[in-house]
């Protein structure tokens, strides 16, 4: 195998799509998936590639420095694509420390381990940190986040991701570690854990449960189909400039309320319900504290330098997503019943 690549968090939503793309597209790379299997990590996401000769799963916690150091010493990875994180803003509001441990300390542990094994020769090595547009804070009605926008995080989640981004750049500037960072907007698609907006609404519409819309629903996000994010990560990993940052976006802004209504209509059609049935489930609920009004990405740099543009429209991506959830009942019920977590406890403890 020509390259040993560690992907952290590849049992999660985005990581599983990145791992699949790399395992299939690059048979001469050996892909290692390091994941703690938290509530968000699910090896069912990778069933189709789990027996591939160039794929290996390693269960472990990036917060455990001695485990990480030993792993890097033993495996001598050539590159890291770091996605492991606590990723849910709402959970960060109730338990900020967990976000500091995984997102900040876990990232620094990986940086240290990479620096230690690569320090004699940084050539052909790369530490790729996958981050979020939330580090830039909130926009008003106008404007876009560029790579030069100052950081202004508001939630414990975005503060922890901002901190990890700063550490990654500090290791580049101080030690010369070869790094690249990307900051992406909201992803959606298959395997999305159903506590985030789109999969939660799909699940609730299917089960005739209320659709909780925070505040007045006028909050705005830019949405990118997860497989397009994986394609962008492939481009940045292979062709992004050392030390650089790339914003990744979908050119696709939606107010939450309009998005939920669009989803309701699509689900009514898919479920053979009268149009307007699911919209009645919309329920305005208490707002998220510190809720950022609007995120919007200027993705000109990655478009111009690396030729990235989303391959599907939002309508196409949303339909693929709904179809996937409607035909993957078992995945959904395992995730929502917590069966897979019981399985992991029995399997690994
Ligand atoms: P996710 O929550 O679905 O998956 C995170 C994965 O990390 C899980 O498999 C989990 O088990 C693993 N993990 C958590 N803590 C760990 C630890 N201590 N050690 C090892 N593994 C651990 O997240 P996601 O939505 O796939 O996001 C992946 C990355 O992309 C994150 O870094 C996130 O900040 C970033 N991101 C996400 C989005 C989005 O819309 N979801 C957008 C931009 C950037
Ligand atoms: O912008 C990128 C970020 O997108 C990623 O860094 C995060 O990891 C990812 O979770 C996502 O964060 P958000 O907070 O934007 O995602 P979420 O799906 O939780 O919420 C999307 C919007 O919908 C947000 O404005 C809050 C709102 N919302 C969310 C939920 C779960 C609701 O109105 N009701 C809900 O029940």
């Amino acid at each position: 195998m020509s390259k040993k690549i560690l992907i952290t968090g590849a049992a999660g939503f985005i990581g599983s799509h990145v791992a699949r793309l790399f395992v299939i597209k690059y048979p001469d790379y050996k892909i290692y998936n390091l994941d703690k299997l938290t509530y968000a990590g699910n090896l069912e996401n990778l069933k189709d590639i789990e027996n591939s000769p160039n794929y290996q799963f390693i269960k472990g916690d990036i917060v455990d420095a001695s485990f990480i150091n030993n792993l890097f010493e033993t495996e001598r990875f050539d590159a890291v694509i770091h996605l492991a994180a606590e990723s849910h803003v709402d959970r960060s509001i109730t338990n900020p420390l967990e976000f500091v441990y995984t997102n900040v300390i876990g990232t620094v542990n990986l940086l240290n381990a990479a620096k230690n094994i690569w320090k004699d020769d940084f050539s052909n090595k790369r530490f790729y940190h996958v981050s979020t547009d939330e580090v830039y804070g909130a926009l008003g009605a106008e404007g876009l986040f560029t790579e030069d926008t100052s950081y202004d995080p508001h939630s414990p989640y975005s503060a922890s991701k901002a901190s990890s981004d700063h550490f990654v750049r500090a290791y580049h500037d101080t030690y010369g570690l070869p790094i690249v960072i990307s900051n992406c907007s909201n992803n959606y698609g298959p395997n999305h854990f159903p506590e985030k907006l789109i999969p939660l609404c799909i699940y609730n519409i299917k089960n005739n449960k209320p659709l909780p819309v925070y505040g007045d629903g006028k909050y705005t996000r830019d949405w990118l189909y997860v497989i397009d994010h994986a394609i962008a990560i492939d481009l940045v990993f292979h062709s992004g400039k050392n030390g650089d940052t790339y914003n990744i976006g979908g050119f696709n802004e939606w107010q939450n309320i309009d998005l939920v209504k669009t989803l309701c209509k699509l689900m009514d059609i898919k479920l053979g319900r009268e149009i307007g049935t699911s919209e009645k489930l919309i329920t305005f609920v208490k707002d998220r504290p510190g809720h950022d009004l609007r995120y919007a990405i200027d993705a000109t740099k990655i478009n111009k330098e690396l030729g990235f543009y989303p391959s599907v429209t939002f309508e196409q991506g949303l339909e693929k997503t709904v179809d996937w959830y409607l035909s993957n009942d078992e995945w959904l019920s395992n995730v929502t019943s917590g069966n897979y977590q019981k399985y992991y406890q029995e399997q690994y403890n």
Side-chain angles (χ1 to χ4, degrees):
M1 305 257 168
S2 70
K3 252 191 184 142
K4 295 173 89 170
I5 300 177
L6 177 70
I7 306 185
T8 69
F13 168 47
I14 301 170
S16 59
H17 289 281
V18 176
R20 176 175 300 101
L21 187 146
F22 273 66
V23 164
I24 294 170
K25 187 169 173 189
Y26 303 108
D28 56 332
Y29 290 177
K30 174 89 186 259
I31 303 301
Y32 297 81
N33 165 16
L34 169 63
D35 201 295
K36 182 180 170 185
L37 301 180
T38 66
Y39 76 95
N42 183 355
L43 290 180
E44 268 189 62
N45 295 347
L46 294 161
K47 268 236 154 314
D48 54 327
I49 56 154
E50 69 185 2
N51 295 320
S52 304
N54 63 336
Y55 169 79
Q56 186 178 325
F57 172 63
I58 303 162
K59 185 172 188 297
D61 187 345
I62 59 170
V63 180
D64 182 344
S66 64
F67 163 76
I68 291 295
N69 288 332
N70 285 336
L71 180 68
F72 275 68
E73 284 293 341
T74 313
E75 297 294 351
R76 319 251 358 139
F77 305 113
D78 298 297
V80 177
I81 305 179
H82 175 37
L83 294 110
E86 286 294 336
S87 70
H88 193 183
V89 175
D90 291 333
R91 286 183 186 246
S92 82
I93 294 167
T94 46
N95 191 4
L97 254 189
E98 204 55 51
F99 286 67
V100 177
Y101 291 134
T102 288
N103 298 0
V104 185
I105 296 172
T107 300
V108 177
N109 284 339
L110 292 166
L111 289 165
N112 274 333
K115 172 171 81 67
N116 289 341
I117 61 158
W118 298 341
K119 63 178 182 295
D120 295 330
D121 184 9
F122 280 146
S123 55
N124 297 317
K125 305 290 189 293
R126 171 147 278 192
F127 190 104
Y128 180 177
H129 179 59
V130 175
S131 193
T132 171
D133 60 356
E134 300 205 11
V135 297
Y136 297 123
L139 293 163
E142 299 291 317
L144 299 170
F145 297 135
T146 73
E147 286 80 1
D148 296 324
T149 302
S150 300
Y151 277 28
D152 183 22
H154 299 139
S155 73
Y157 163 68
S158 53
S160 69
K161 290 296 289 186
S163 171
S164 63
D165 292 12
H166 289 318
F167 271 105
V168 174
R169 288 196 188 95
Y171 271 63
H172 175 70
D173 296 347
T174 308
Y175 307 109
L177 193 78
I179 65 108
V180 69
I181 300 180
S182 58
N183 296 80
C184 187
S185 59
N186 284 61
N187 286 214
Y188 69 98
N191 308 99
H192 205 181
F193 196 81
E195 64 181 22
K196 307 269 177 94
L197 182 67
I198 290 182
L200 176 86
C201 286
I202 294 174
Y203 178 76
N204 284 9
I205 292 170
K206 191 175 154 219
N207 294 293
N208 275 308
K209 291 182 167 179
L211 308 177
V213 174
Y214 296 162
D216 60 5
K218 300 251 165 84
Y219 296 91
T220 302
R221 299 290 182 264
D222 170 74
W223 294 91
L224 178 67
Y225 192 54
V226 64
I227 292 171
D228 279 328
H229 189 190
I231 291 168
I233 287 175
D234 179 16
L235 285 171
V236 172
F237 178 74
H238 285 99
S239 308
K241 282 195 204 116
N242 182 25
D244 255 18
T245 294
Y246 294 84
N247 280 354
I248 305 173
F251 305 92
N252 179 38
E253 279 187 60
W254 283 79
Q255 285 194 347
N256 292 339
I257 187 66
D258 295 335
L259 192 163
V260 173
K261 284 182 179 168
T262 302
L263 197 51
C264 285
K265 243 180 240 137
L266 179 59
M267 292 282 290
D268 282 343
I269 295 167
K270 294 281 173 187
L271 295 170
R273 294 176 183 169
E274 196 185 324
I275 301 283
T277 310
S278 302
E279 244 189 68
K280 294 192 189 114
L281 297 168
I282 292 176
T283 311
F284 290 95
V285 298
K286 194 166 147 277
D287 212 345
R288 170 185 282 176
H291 201 166
D292 287 331
L293 178 65
R294 175 171 164 258
Y295 304 141
I297 283 275
D298 179 346
T300 311
K301 179 177 172 179
I302 191 168
N303 175 251
K304 288 237 161 81
E305 283 188 21
L306 308 181
F308 174 75
Y309 196 82
S311 70
V312 294
T313 64
F314 193 50
E315 289 68 25
Q316 290 167 332
L318 210 52
E319 184 164 7
K320 280 172 187 278
T321 305
V322 167
D323 288 345
W324 186 87
Y325 277 91
L326 293 180
S327 53
N328 282 276
D329 262 344
E330 200 183 324
W331 183 94
L332 200 52
S333 68
N334 283 347
V335 167
T336 47
S337 72
N339 270 352
Y340 81 100
Q341 295 218 43
K342 275 188 231 139
Y343 163 76
Y344 288 135
Q345 269 160 17
E346 283 163 16
Q347 175 83 357
Y348 295 106
N349 292 335

